[in-house]
Amino acid sequence: MDGTTQPSMTRLPFPPVTRSHILHCSYHCWHPKYRSVTPKARLIPLTAPFLTYLRSDGIILPPDEDDPIIDFSSTDTDSGISSSTSTPTGSDSGSDTEPNSDPSTQWPELHQKIKSTITELGGNVVPKLNWSAPKDATFMNATNSMECQTANDIYCLLKSSDFITHDLEQVFDDCEHPSPSSSSHPPNEEIIPYHLILRKTISALVPSLEFRCFVRSRALLCMCQRDLNFYEFLPGLVLTLRPLIQKFFDERLKHTFEDENFVFDVYIPPPHKKVWLMDINPWAPRTDPLIFSWLEILEMVGPGASAHSRTSNGVANGDSERKVDEDGGSSQEDDEEDVFTPEFRLVNRDDPEAYSFNTPRYSAHKMPKDVVDASGGGEAGLREFMGRWREIMREQEGEDGADGRRR
């Protein structure tokens, strides 16, 4: 020990995340260039009134002449969801409350375009905005998935999703400011051409064959499965899938994507001959590293490093030394071209997440944030939260009683 102490790491050693990098990862930006290797999709530019609708509180759905109108508020007046024909329960002709108006009257052409695009793509689509899909809101869909058959299915998912809210309100969070004086920025829609992406549903999609790939300095560093379950057949496919992904990256993405660091998702369905590009994500903490950790990825030894500093699967080996011959030069092995092999990480049979088939993902997005925050404090935090909740309910009951007496 030399008596010195290493400074503690207070943040991940990411390079500065720029607005241009975030924009380059927007679907509308990269899709035209890679359209031939992406699943069939249509991009629909969004109007300011529709963006206002997405940002507004509550979920009011337009009437759809092709489907029976469902009045969500008839069973739960506090749900925040209603059709445009809903009227408040117990209201009479003398009430000051007007029936909800049809929100699509503010964007009729867009509404029709969305409906016609669903028909064009076979009547079943998966929606997303520029960066995010509403995966956290599938509990709002009758199919408990992102598959949508009507425009209202799409609107309900988009308005229920925290991920979509992030695209609309917080997409440039943690980005490097252009200058110290840039304390305020114009609204995102003045910078971002927002699009609704409708992708034709892939029949019989196999989640186990979707993979996330990490690129640093224009080199494919590592990759892993996206579906966090153990699949016994996957290890036997690694020798087939890894060179396929490497070739796809080298030929399609390595020299054509605008930034040298990024993350991309691929799908390789049977018979494992074609690679489909599903998405491109920022090289930033907001992107889920899945089976890896970001610190592990950032410290990983990549191409160009000594072969002795890596294990056989391409991961950094902390104890590495170069061999030196008697004349002080490098050994012959080091003079040979060093072939880098990206790590291909899978969920192992004994991993804690290996059998999470029945575990709902994004469950934290399905309940109030106060409850999620309280659960982080364990049993004591939940007990304190429940105590505060009972106090609020007692105060509310007292106020309601006083109002009743005044009437």
Side-chain angles (χ1 to χ4, degrees), residues 71 73-74 77 86-97:
D71 183 356
S73 63
S74 63
T77 56
S86 301
T87 55
T89 302
S91 64
D92 54 35
S93 57
S95 171
D96 293 334
T97 305

Side-chain angles (χ1 to χ4, degrees), residues 105-229:
T105 58
Q106 301 299 313
W107 24 273
E109 293 181 1
L110 177 61
H111 185 53
Q112 291 303 319
K113 178 64 174 176
I114 291 171
K115 296 200 310 186
S116 64
T117 302
I118 293 173
T119 301
E120 177 193 352
L121 294 177
N124 209 323
V125 299
V126 174
K128 68 174 292 178
L129 288 195
N130 297 42
W131 294 272
S132 303
K135 295 181 179 180
D136 58 323
T138 54
F139 68 100
M140 295 291 292
N141 201 351
T143 62
N144 199 32
S145 71
M146 287 202 302
E147 295 181 12
C148 297
Q149 298 179 349
T150 70
N152 279 354
D153 291 343
I154 295 170
Y155 304 153
C156 192
L157 283 182
L158 296 181
K159 285 185 65 65
S160 303
S161 171
D162 288 347
F163 295 170
I164 298 302
T165 300
H166 181 274
D167 275 16
L168 295 172
E169 307 293 348
Q170 302 161 327
V171 72
F172 290 135
D173 281 8
D174 304 324
C175 282
E176 180 184 50
H177 290 307
S179 67
S181 61
S182 302
S183 57
S184 61
H185 299 282
N188 284 349
E189 58 262 32
E190 295 183 16
I191 303 172
I192 304 167
Y194 278 104
H195 287 71
L196 172 64
I197 294 92
L198 298 182
R199 191 188 71 197
K200 181 180 176 66
T201 297
I202 300 175
S203 59
L205 184 140
V206 185
S208 59
L209 295 173
E210 289 187 275
F211 305 97
R212 176 153 290 182
C213 311
F214 299 84
V215 177
R216 188 181 68 199
S217 301
R218 298 204 179 277
L220 183 58
L221 189 64
C222 56
M223 61 196 85
C224 67
Q225 67 185 83
R226 290 195 63 197
D227 185 60
L228 302 183
N229 289 294

Side-chain angles (χ1 to χ4, degrees), residues 8 68 104 189 213 225 264 288 307 349 374:
S8 60
S104 67
E189 58 262 32
C213 311
Q225 67 185 83
F264 67 96
D288 191 345
R349 186 187 301 271

Side-chain angles (χ1 to χ4, degrees), residues 52-63:
T52 299
Y53 168 71
L54 290 183
R55 291 185 171 104
S56 63
D57 293 334
I59 303 176
I60 301 175
L61 304 177

Side-chain angles (χ1 to χ4, degrees), residues 228-249:
L228 302 183
N229 289 294
F230 170 70
Y231 294 97
E232 192 168 357
F233 69 91
L234 274 182
L237 287 176
V238 167
L239 294 180
T240 299
L241 299 176
R242 178 158 43 198
L244 271 175
I245 296 174
Q246 182 72 64
K247 181 181 179 183
F248 176 83
F249 168 72

Side-chain angles (χ1 to χ4, degrees), residues 357-376:
F357 292 98
N358 295 321
T359 303
R361 296 191 69 187
Y362 316 115
S363 56
H365 299 271
K366 301 178 184 179
M367 59 183 67
K369 184 178 183 296
D370 290 343
V371 177
V372 177
D373 293 343
S375 67

Side-chain angles (χ1 to χ4, degrees), residues 213-214 219-224 238 242-243 245-247 249-250 292 300-303 310-315 339-345:
C213 311
F214 299 84
L220 183 58
L221 189 64
C222 56
M223 61 196 85
C224 67
V238 167
R242 178 158 43 198
I245 296 174
Q246 182 72 64
K247 181 181 179 183
F249 168 72
D250 290 341
F292 295 100
M300 208 174 268
V301 175
R310 296 194 304 269
T311 63
S312 59
N313 60 12
V315 181
V339 178
F340 175 76
T341 303
E343 180 183 4
F344 200 133
R345 185 172 295 186

